[in-house]
Amino acid sequence: MKKMSVLNIKGEKVNDITLNAEVWGITPNDAVLYDAITLAKNAMRQGTHETKTRSEVSGGGRKPWRQKGTGRARQGSIRAAQWRHGGIVFGPHMRSYDKKMNRKERRLALKSALSYKAIDSELIIIDKFALAGGKTKEAKQVFDNLKVNKNILLVVSELDENTILATRNLDNVTLLEANEVNVLDIVAADSMIVTEDAVKAIEEVLV
C-alpha cells in the first residue's frame, strides 16, 4: 500500500489516501507498456495510403521503340518505374495497422503506466474538482495552485458541465472520466491529477 496526500483545489492538504499497491505500486513492465502504446498509436492510423505499381498505372501498353538498333537502352513500357508518370516501386499500399493484445496484457500495461506516475511523483490526488463556474480562468488557477503547467491529465469520476467548459480551451489539458483512462494519455501527460472518487473507480476495475 502507498500513502499519498490528498489536496483540495487550493493546493492545501486535506487528508491522506492509501493507494492500492496492485494498481499504483507494481514493478512496471516496459515491454508490455511499449506494445500498448504502439497498439494505441496504430489504432489512430487509417492505413488508406496507396500508390500504383506499373501494372496499375494507365497507359504504357505499347513498347516505346524496338528492342535493337536504335542505340538507346531497351524499354518495354513507358510506365516502368524510371519513367515520369511510371509506377512506384515499393510504395505504401492500403493495410490495417491493428495490433492485438489480450486482456491480461492490457491491464498490466495500464497498471504499469499508473505505477510510473506514482514512482516519478507525477501523480496528484485531489478531493474533488469543483468549480463555481465554467470559466477557463478558474481551471488555470486550480492548476497554478497545484503547481502543474505542462501536459496535464485530469481524471474525474463523472464529468460535469463546469469542468468541461473550464478545461476545453486549455490545449495542455486532457479531461477523462475514470472509465476512459488509457495508457497513451497517461504516458503523454507530465502530471496526472485524479480525484479521490476516480481513484476508487480505477482500483475497482483493475484489482
Side-chain angles (χ1 to χ4, degrees):
M1 296 290 183
K2 180 180 175 65
K3 184 172 281 190
M4 282 192 65
S5 299
V6 178
L7 309 178
N8 59 21
I9 58 175
K10 294 180 181 178
E12 303 163 341
K13 180 178 176 179
V14 290
N15 61 301
D16 292 313
I17 187 172
T18 302
L19 300 178
N20 193 312
E22 291 182 34
V23 177
W24 308 91
I26 70 167
T27 301
N29 187 312
D30 290 337
V32 172
L33 187 57
Y34 175 85
D35 286 343
I37 293 170
T38 304
L39 182 147
K41 287 188 172 182
N42 282 2
M44 298 177 182
R45 302 183 70 174
Q46 291 183 317
T48 53
H49 41 34
E50 179 67 24
T51 54
K52 291 184 178 181
T53 64
R54 61 184 293 175
S55 65
E56 296 168 323
V57 179
S58 63
R62 179 173 60 85
K63 190 174 175 65
W65 51 77
R66 68 179 191 267
Q67 183 81 345
K68 294 176 179 291
T70 64
R72 290 181 287 186
R74 56 194 174 187
Q75 299 292 332
S77 170
I78 60 169
R79 292 298 178 252
Q82 72 272 20
W83 286 73
R84 183 168 178 266
H85 299 310
I88 303 297
V89 180
F90 302 131
H93 298 287
M94 291 178 68
R95 55 167 288 197
S96 170
Y97 285 92
D98 287 349
K99 280 176 66 77
K100 290 187 178 179
M101 284 186 76
N102 61 44
R103 185 166 174 266
K104 192 173 181 180
E105 286 178 315
R106 289 172 186 266
R107 289 166 66 90
L108 177 58
L110 190 52
K111 289 180 181 180
S112 295
L114 293 171
S115 294
Y116 262 129
K117 282 290 175 259
I119 292 167
D120 296 337
S121 301
E122 295 176 350
L123 178 66
I124 298 171
I125 310 296
I126 59 174
D127 55 351
K128 56 187 175 180
F129 196 85
L131 302 178
K135 300 291 185 182
T136 303
K137 183 168 66 174
E138 292 180 71
K140 289 182 75 171
Q141 184 60 56
V142 172
F143 298 135
D144 287 342
N145 294 340
L146 298 174
K147 298 177 182 176
V148 292
N149 54 16
K150 292 185 179 178
N151 292 324
I152 302 165
L153 175 61
L154 175 60
V155 184
V156 296
S157 59
E158 191 174 335
L159 295 177
D160 67 85
E161 189 174 358
N162 282 348
T163 304
I164 295 170
L165 291 174
T167 58
R168 68 180 179 179
N169 288 330
L170 296 173
D171 293 336
N172 64 323
V173 178
T174 301
L175 175 64
L176 296 177
E177 284 189 328
N179 60 2
E180 297 173 326
V181 169
N182 62 86
V183 169
L184 197 58
D185 284 327
I186 294 172
V187 172
D190 295 301
S191 301
M192 183 176 178
I193 302 171
V194 191
T195 64
E196 274 190 284
D197 289 342
V199 169
K200 293 172 184 174
I202 291 169
E203 290 180 349
E204 283 177 11
V205 172
L206 293 178
V207 174

